[in-house]
Structures are given as C-alpha cells and as structure tokens.
Amino acid sequence: MHDFSITQDQSTDILYGDLISAARALTDGEPDAIANMANISALIWQYIPDLNWAGFYRVMEDELVLGPFQGKSACIRIAMGKGVCGAAASTNVVQRVADVHAFPGHIACDADSRSELVVPVCKDGKVIAVLDLDSPLPDRFSAADETGMTKLIATIANSLG
Ligand code: SME
C-alpha cells in the first residue's frame, strides 16, 4: 500500500510535481511495463479530479490494444490513426480535445465523456503506447494539465515498455 499524501487543493504545478515524484517512486526499479501502467493509472485516477477513464493503450503491430486502466470497460482495439488515441499514436502529438463530439472520428467508449487528453508514450524514438484521460466535464484539461501529464510520461516512459 502506498500513501503519497498528495493534496489536490493546491496549484496545478505543485500537484503535478507531487504526482511525478510519486510516479517515479512507484516505477523505480520495476521492469514490468504492465504493472507500471496499472499503478500509474491508479495513481492518476486517485489524484486527478473529474475523470471517468484513465489508462493506457499499447501499440501492438499496426493497432492500439487496451492496457491497464481505471474506469468503465472500454474498446479493446483501435486502428492507428482512428479516434483521439489513434491520432496521438500515429502523429506522436498530444491531443487535448475540449469537446469530443467535435473531434472527427472520436470513439465513444463511454457516452459520459465530454473532453479528452491523450499523451503519446515514446521510447527509443518510437511511440509504444498512449496515456488516455477522459472527463465527463467539457474542456476539463488545461494547458497546465497537458504540460504536467507530458512531463509525467516523459519521466517514466522507460518503465512503460
Ligand atoms: N475516446 C478514445 C477511445 C478510448 S476510450 O475513450 C477509453 C478515442 O477516441 O480514441
């Protein structure tokens, strides 16, 4: 059991600083990517408010396959380039979507989702997975969330594949 005593009632910068320290502590010395994805999903789910899904899709050959996550059961396979996750994986560019209904090809795994943040996970110059966060609130993810999640993933990317 881990208790990181992270307070959510603080600036986004401090929250992400604490979250990144906790993510590093959780993954340090653990080589199993699935175990690490599972713990990082749980960490984000516990400390980032207003999410209805948080987890990973892994790049397997020419598609994305569902990995460890928190939230409702989700679509298992996503073709490269399809939906928000497929767009992030095929372009290696973070997708911060304020209104998922306005995103062409958005895949609605949970009808409650209104906004989404997808961060590619890169190792040795290749996208090996994406972190997908969904929220029932429109425009939930700020530029600070994008920066914070991007830093978090960059810090622990070597532990995720
Ligand atoms: N909405 C995503 C699919 C994954 S679920 O949200 C968990 C997409 O459009 O790629």
Side-chain angles (χ1 to χ4, degrees), residues 92-161:
N92 192 10
V93 174
V94 175
Q95 304 291 309
R96 182 159 62 95
V97 180
D99 174 7
V100 293
H101 297 310
F103 188 96
H106 167 253
I107 300 162
C109 291
D110 182 341
D112 287 342
S113 296
R114 287 290 173 275
S115 56
E116 185 159 355
L117 179 66
V118 183
V119 180
V121 181
C122 279
K123 193 177 173 187
D124 302 328
K126 276 174 49 184
V127 179
I128 56 160
V130 297
L131 170 69
D132 180 20
L133 305 178
D134 288 356
S135 173
L137 305 183
D139 203 9
R140 158 67 184 82
F141 302 102
S142 64
D145 288 308
E146 178 176 338
T147 305
M149 284 298 170
T150 301
K151 269 191 203 159
L152 187 154
I153 288 300
T155 304
I156 58 161
N158 284 341
S159 306
L160 301 178

